[in-house]
Structures are given as structure tokens and as C-alpha cells.
Amino acid sequence: TLGQHGNWVKVLLLAATVCMVSVVAYYAIPFGKPSVDLVGLGLAVQGLDGKASGLNYSPDGKKVAFCLKAPDGYFVQIVSPENAALPAFRIPVGDDACRPVFVNGGKSLMVDAAKGGERGLWMVNANTGAIKVLHRHGVQPLGDGTPWSEKTGQFLYALRTDAGYQLNVLSAARGKSKVLLRSANPIETPSWTFSGGDVAYADGLHGLFYVYNLKTRHADPLLSDSERPDMAKLLKADPVREVLPAPDGFRYLYVTRRKNTCAIWAVLADGTKRKKLYQTQAEIRDVSWISDAQKVVFEQRERKLGFLLKSTGVQVLDANLGTLESLIPPQVSDSAPAVSPDGVKVVFAASQGLWYSSGGKTGIWVALLR
């Protein structure tokens, strides 16, 4: 009847109102202090007209480079969080997100720029913006980790070729590359180890990552002697997507992904004491060690929150205890963290207003850790 129909309409409207109030109430929860002790938190760069990703500190900790998705395309931008008076400039880098990495003591950037569906490798002068194209296609995305060695002046990157994949090392001083390794499987997130004599990488297919020895010119999965009888089983575990050697050379951190599950693991440099530190159904990205090699910073992006909402937040993971803390209150959406070389600052992207709507403008924030 008409009366029953009207009652149903009222019920639906009431339910919709409850949902809307619940969302509003969530964001109206008083913002408590973040779990991580902060000495300070400040807006360093404002007025960005797009989404910032791939943040990266210069070796001296004075500049930050990042990829900006703006209305008119993708750009690499360099800013100085500590000195806004220094000139900031942006460089067009094609039609997809990229990751800029400072090299040559911060004088240059290596950028995995993508144009027309092909990803190349550029060297960009960090002072003038001048571009030198090193490879035009086949370059695999630069992930987390330490592809640059300030000690040797060499940069690691992977190429996809007609025959498979190859790991290259570039001498930044000479601008020339040589092949370290050829493989039928992908080569992801190649990183220098603390000693500089080995390269760790993942293939995205197996549950163990690999260590390439520059002297023997051989790559082996990292596992302990006691694990060798179970190597076949370990290789079939959730695939490793990235590996990050610790700054002190004591252990490795690695991230596994399968379907809707991500996990962060740690293992000692000799392959012993393998331990799962954290697991989530959210995405894990932008992973980096704090320089004391005791904690890890990363972005956790929820795949779905409630009916329509998605949330993202910067997390700090204790690599010894496996405990997790939010960098700032979890109600605030913050992303793309990068740790300063001295380990006392974390730079990240968030709304320019942070605690309130700011008309879609993005800001770069700096959190000062105790």
C-alpha cells in the first residue's frame, strides 16, 4: 500500500542518515597524540596541485624530490623543506608515476620516466633540470631499497629484454653501464648491501629473495643451512616483491604479497632467524629503514574502509618487537613517507590543511622524531 511504501522510504532515509552520521562522527573523533613520539610537525611545502608520490631525501637531508601527478601530466619536483626561498622546479616525466633517486651526492637524480607505455632511465641535473636519457625503454620500475651507492658511485637498475631480464650497474661518473646478471625471471628492487660487495633483489615469483655476489658472479636464494632441506617449500611461499638490506648490514627486510595479503619479514644476513613481523590485508608501499636499523617506516593503504572510503597512513614498525605505531593520528590520510639520512625526520604527503579540507591542495609535511 501507499502507507507501507512511505514507511519503507522513511526506513531507507533513516539508514542513509545513520551511515552519513557515522562517517562524520569518525572524522569528528578528537585527534589524540600519535603513537610515535614527535618533537615537531610542520607544513614544509604547500600549494601542490596534485598527488605526490615517491618522496626521496637528498644525501644531505636538505632537499626532497618526488613525483607529482598534476592535471596536465606527471612531473618530478624538487623542493627544500627547510628553506622555501630556494628555487623549486618541476620536470615533465611522461604519462605515469615514477620514482626519483638522488645520486652523485645530491647533484643529480635518476628517474624511471615513462612515455608512451615505455619506461626509460633519465639522469637529471638536480640544480638545472637538464635531462640526459640513458635508456628509452625496458627499464623496470625503481622500487624501494638502496639502488645507489654513494661509496662506489654506482646505480643499480633492471632491464627487460627480448631474452628475459638483466641487472645493470651504472657508473654515474662515466655515464656508462655494464651487465651484472641475466635472468629468465624478473629482477625487482635491486639494492646494495651494507658491505657493497653484494646485491639483494627479488623476482616477484618466489618466497625467497636472492643475493648476487659480485666476486663469484652468482646469485643464490638467502636461506640458512637448516632451511635448505625445505628450500622447495620456501620458494613456493608467498612471493617476495621487494627486499631492503638494513643500514647496519645485520639483517634484511622483505615484503611478500599474494592476492589481498601483504607481510613484512626480517631475516639475519646469514639466513637465520627468519621472522614475520607484520601482516595485513592492506597494501604496503614506500618502505624504508630508519638509519638506526631498528625501525621501519611505510605507507599502509587500506583496500576498502566502510562502504566507500579508503584510508592511508604512515606507519612505524619496530623491527625487533613487531609492534606498529601510527606516525600521526590515524584519522588523517597521509602517504609516501621518506626518512631523512640522519633518521630524525620523516617527510610525507598529506592534505595541505591536514586536519581539515584544503580545496584539494597537497602539502609536504615534515615530522621530527625524538
Side-chain angles (χ1 to χ4, degrees):
T1 66
L2 183 61
Q4 290 175 328
H5 178 75
N7 289 335
W8 275 110
V9 171
K10 290 178 180 179
V11 170
L12 291 174
L13 288 174
L14 178 60
T17 301
V18 170
C19 292
M20 291 178 65
V21 170
S22 298
V23 172
V24 172
Y26 174 81
Y27 285 97
I29 295 172
F31 291 104
K33 293 182 179 180
S35 300
V36 177
D37 288 334
L38 296 181
V39 176
L41 178 65
L43 177 62
V45 180
Q46 56 184 327
L48 299 177
D49 57 340
K51 180 181 179 182
S53 63
L55 274 66
N56 220 316
Y57 261 106
S58 61
D60 61 6
K62 294 182 178 180
K63 294 181 179 180
V64 171
F66 57 91
C67 179
L68 182 71
K69 182 182 180 182
D72 52 344
Y74 288 85
F75 299 84
V76 162
Q77 188 160 344
I78 302 175
V79 297
S80 176
E82 297 182 359
N83 188 353
L86 289 180
F89 61 86
R90 57 170 62 180
I91 306 156
V93 289
D95 49 21
D96 198 4
C98 63
R99 178 180 292 272
V101 178
F102 280 101
V103 300
N104 290 332
K107 297 177 182 178
S108 305
L109 287 171
M110 301 300 294
V111 180
D112 55 336
K115 284 191 173 184
E118 290 288 346
R119 191 173 294 274
L121 185 66
W122 296 1
M123 180 180 286
V124 179
N125 187 303
N127 296 312
T128 67
I131 297 170
K132 180 179 180 181
V133 178
L134 303 176
H135 286 278
R136 295 189 180 277
H137 56 84
V139 174
Q140 299 303 284
L142 302 179
D144 305 325
T146 52
W148 168 251
S149 170
E150 194 69 44
K151 184 186 302 183
T152 64
Q154 294 179 310
F155 185 82
L156 297 166
Y157 65 100
L159 284 176
R160 183 171 185 173
T161 68
D162 293 338
Y165 298 85
Q166 65 185 44
L167 174 62
N168 285 13
V169 59
L170 168 75
S171 171
R174 295 184 299 160
K176 294 184 178 180
S177 298
K178 66 177 181 180
V179 179
L180 291 181
L181 172 70
R182 290 184 171 87
S183 173
N185 295 331
I187 298 173
E188 300 181 356
T189 64
S191 294
W192 294 107
T193 61
F194 176 77
S195 66
D198 297 322
V199 175
Y201 70 92
D203 66 3
L205 302 174
H206 297 104
L208 295 170
F209 63 88
Y210 297 80
V211 178
Y212 174 81
N213 187 293
L214 272 68
K215 290 184 178 180
T216 64
R217 298 184 180 181
H218 198 270
D220 293 296
L222 184 74
L223 71 169
S224 65
D225 290 339
S226 62
E227 291 176 324
R228 291 192 181 279
D230 297 321
M231 185 172 71
K233 180 180 178 181
L234 290 170
L235 287 172
K236 292 180 180 179
D238 291 356
V240 180
R241 300 311 304 265
E242 52 189 342
V243 54
L244 294 88
D248 59 1
F250 182 65
R251 55 187 160 179
Y252 294 91
L253 191 83
Y254 63 97
V255 179
T256 61
R257 296 190 184 101
R258 187 186 295 275
K259 294 183 179 179
N260 293 330
T261 301
C262 289
I264 298 178
W265 296 72
V267 61
L268 296 189
D270 61 359
T272 62
K273 296 188 177 180
R274 191 180 307 275
K275 179 182 179 182
K276 183 189 293 185
L277 297 175
Y278 179 65
Q279 181 170 302
T280 177
Q281 291 186 332
E283 282 187 72
I284 291 175
R285 58 175 71 180
D286 293 307
V287 187
S288 59
W289 283 98
I290 291 180
S291 58
D292 65 2
Q294 303 303 306
K295 293 186 177 182
V296 179
V297 178
F298 64 94
E299 175 190 337
Q300 178 169 288
R301 182 180 294 273
E302 300 293 339
R303 300 178 192 275
K304 187 175 183 181
L305 177 65
F307 296 99
L308 300 173
L309 301 176
K310 290 184 179 179
S311 68
T312 181
V314 177
Q315 307 294 320
V316 180
L317 176 69
D318 189 302
N320 301 307
L321 303 176
T323 54
L324 192 70
E325 303 171 310
S326 295
L327 180 68
I328 62 174
Q331 294 97 331
V332 178
S333 181
D334 48 321
S335 62
V339 181
S340 63
D342 59 11
V344 301
K345 292 174 288 187
V346 177
V347 65
F348 62 91
S351 166
Q352 182 174 297
L354 195 61
W355 316 109
Y356 54 86
S357 175
S358 57
K361 291 293 184 179
T362 300
I364 301 298
W365 292 79
V366 177
L368 188 62
L369 304 180
R370 188 179 299 280

